Amino acid sequence: MAIQVVILAAGQGKRMYSKQPKVLHRLGGKALLEHVIATALKLSPAESPIVIHGHQGDHLQKSLDHYPVRWVEQKEQLGTGHAVMQALPVLVDEDRVVILYGDVPLIAEQTLTQLLTITPADAIGMVTAHASSPAGYGRIKRDAKHQITGIVEEKDATEAERAITEINSGIYVIPARCLKKWLPALSNHNSQGEYYLTDVIAQAVNENIPVHTVPPATFEEIVGVNDRVQLAELERFYQRQYAEKLMRQGVTLYDPNRIDIRGEMIVGQDVVIDVNVICEGRVVIGDGCAIGPNTLLRDVELEAGVEVKANCVIEEARVAAGSMIGPFARIRPGTTLGRGVHIGNFVEIKNSEIGDGSKLNHLSYVGDSEVGKRVNIGAGTITCNYDGANKHKTVIGDDVHIGSDTQLIAPVTVGMGATIGAGSTIVDDAPAYQLTLTHRLEQRSIKDWKRPEKEEQT
Ligand code: UD1
Ligand code: CA
């Protein structure tokens, strides 16, 4: 029997106080709904997951258009039962329908696989958990033989029912045949005037259809995000889990509570990461790399043995083996560093290729440049790549030495093995293997000069 996944995401998310749809708020750098879609896809559903959306459907679809999803609109939010009903036209009787929520981002594939495994195809399975504070959740009612008899929503519950600690996660697998029969018959005669999906459980019990339950591996799997406080709590949980996964793969984290991974991180062996490192997008870190404190890495690939010292910002860059960056360096998009490159403090590099073994140790800006191998760029060197209207390229050959405080006015080429004298402004191409320098003012000294002295205050 074919598995289909329906993800409910039509709720407004009022308590977020946001112009954005709730399910686009981010957890670990990805939209809440993105987490759920990714998990749904891991179940290998027969067809792409169905997302039930409300307002701002266009915005949702645009934001997540890289996922194979069937979008179905629920024009009015009349309850969870009504939401699932919107998917009925695209389901056939034989489907097994897994119901997930766009704002319950951390449900794990393993829990869902277990749910599908223990539930026979013609029965109902649901994820339930025991909660120390069950407030807000629907409660699972069982009879003396521990058989499920139904779910009662908190707002409709008696005091005795509210004392029940087994709660409904809202996540189920239900045969489409049953949904087609029961959903159109739901009533909204309850305290919220909504069509409750939960009412189908009592219906199943009526018709002697067995109801199975599985627990999630951790409670956080079934926690929904209703406000930004819950979002932050879940973010911390997610980050801690990610950190533990990394440590189990052989990464040393000086403090697993002070790393944030907003995307995916692929790490080699014996990587050491100091505190307050933030990784965004896709970050690949090779064997034996060391990342210093307070560093941001976004869409970065570091080969083996790269050392990033404290306080660096590296974005959209590739760094070859054994290079050293920082402290206080900024590597901007489009940059490639060769093997064993040294980038020191207060150096900014943008859209440039730096050859193997080259050194830019202090206070430089290199943009739109091609720098050869074994080049030494002195402190305070600037490639003047922008004439106020257009960007121009600087090309520096292998084995060039550029003296401190040099300005290279692009477009300009410095030939292989050339030396540029300190303090030069290079406007024309500098020939290979020669010393090129610009006119210097004559130096003079004044023999009897005295430093001014502070006047006495009267
Ligand atoms: C629901 C369950 C409750 C369970 C809880 C778990 C029902 C009636 N109750 O309650 O038993 O303990 O989830 O978190 O199902 N949605 C729509 N369209 C609608 C209404 C809701 O798409 O018309 C979506 C929401 O966006 C949300 C989800 O369904 O993602 C749950 O809706 P919500 O109103 O939050 O249900 P709860 O009251 O939390
Ligand atoms: Ca909810």
Side-chain angles (χ1 to χ4, degrees), residues 59-125:
H59 182 36
L60 268 180
Q61 290 176 39
K62 249 181 239 149
S63 308
L64 296 168
D65 64 358
H66 44 298
Y67 284 98
V69 161
R70 285 177 287 167
W71 299 93
V72 174
E73 187 180 8
Q74 183 194 23
K75 288 206 173 68
E76 269 185 296
Q77 281 69 60
L78 302 179
T80 48
H82 180 261
V84 176
M85 211 156 87
Q86 311 309 305
L88 293 184
V90 297
L91 299 173
V92 295
D93 282 0
E94 290 69 36
D95 289 334
R96 298 182 77 190
V97 186
V98 175
I99 294 161
L100 303 176
Y101 298 84
D103 58 356
V104 180
L106 297 184
I107 184 66
E109 181 198 357
Q110 292 86 328
T111 301
L112 297 175
T113 311
Q114 211 202 338
L115 180 71
L116 287 164
T117 315
I118 66 137
T119 307
D122 52 2
I124 288 178

Side-chain angles (χ1 to χ4, degrees), residues 157-399:
T158 63
E159 202 148 322
E161 286 167 338
R162 284 185 197 197
I164 298 170
T165 57
E166 188 183 5
I167 59 103
N168 173 31
S169 71
I171 292 166
Y172 324 85
V173 57
I174 305 175
R177 184 186 302 107
C178 296
L179 291 173
K180 287 188 174 214
K181 185 168 159 199
W182 299 333
L183 292 182
L186 286 179
S187 101
N188 63 353
H189 295 146
N190 51 52
S191 65
Q192 302 187 78
E194 288 182 5
Y195 297 95
Y196 289 166
L197 178 58
T198 44
D199 286 349
V200 304
I201 301 302
Q203 194 61 40
V205 174
N206 262 343
E207 298 186 20
N208 290 316
I209 292 173
V211 180
H212 299 262
T213 59
V214 298
T218 64
F219 195 81
E220 283 81 357
E221 277 186 38
I222 59 165
V223 170
V225 173
N226 294 307
D227 59 29
R228 298 187 202 229
V229 174
Q230 288 170 326
L231 180 61
E233 282 167 5
L234 224 48
E235 176 78 24
R236 282 306 103 210
F237 172 80
Y238 175 85
Q239 293 299 344
R240 178 70 201 198
Q241 274 206 320
Y242 210 128
E244 286 178 12
K245 184 178 97 180
L246 292 175
M247 292 188 288
R248 292 204 180 89
Q249 288 171 2
V251 175
T252 295
L253 298 179
Y254 284 159
D255 183 352
N257 294 320
R258 282 186 288 169
I259 177 167
D260 283 75
I261 296 151
R262 302 174 190 157
E264 67 175 323
M265 190 164 173
I266 298 142
V267 278
Q269 237 182 351
D270 293 319
V271 168
V272 176
I273 300 179
D274 210 323
V275 300
N276 298 332
V277 170
I278 297 172
C279 296
E280 295 182 349
R282 186 170 184 274
V283 172
V284 182
I285 301 185
D287 290 350
C289 286
I291 313 295
N294 309 319
T295 282
L296 173 73
L297 304 173
R298 183 171 64 77
D299 293 318
V300 165
E301 237 180 285
L302 308 179
E303 283 182 9
V306 170
E307 187 183 350
V308 177
K309 294 178 183 169
N311 301 299
C312 292
V313 176
I314 308 179
E315 298 170 283
E316 292 175 45
R318 301 187 51 177
V319 181
S323 288
M324 259 165 44
I325 302 174
F328 297 101
R330 179 168 184 215
I331 312 289
R332 292 171 53 195
T335 296
T336 306
L337 305 184
R339 296 169 78 89
V341 164
H342 290 189
I343 305 294
N345 41 215
F346 308 109
V347 172
E348 173 180 349
I349 303 193
K350 186 210 79 172
N351 189 34
S352 294
E353 212 171 293
I354 312 291
D356 295 352
S358 288
K359 292 179 180 158
L360 293 86
N361 277 329
H362 338 260
L363 298 152
S364 289
Y365 170 65
V366 170
D368 303 316
S369 298
E370 223 174 82
V371 176
K373 297 176 181 167
R374 300 172 300 277
V375 169
N376 195 312
I377 294 189
T381 296
I382 291 173
T383 56
C384 307
N385 58 327
Y386 186 51
D387 60 14
N390 296 299
K391 305 269 168 73
H392 302 282
K393 196 169 173 178
T394 301
V395 178
I396 299 173
D398 292 347
D399 300 300

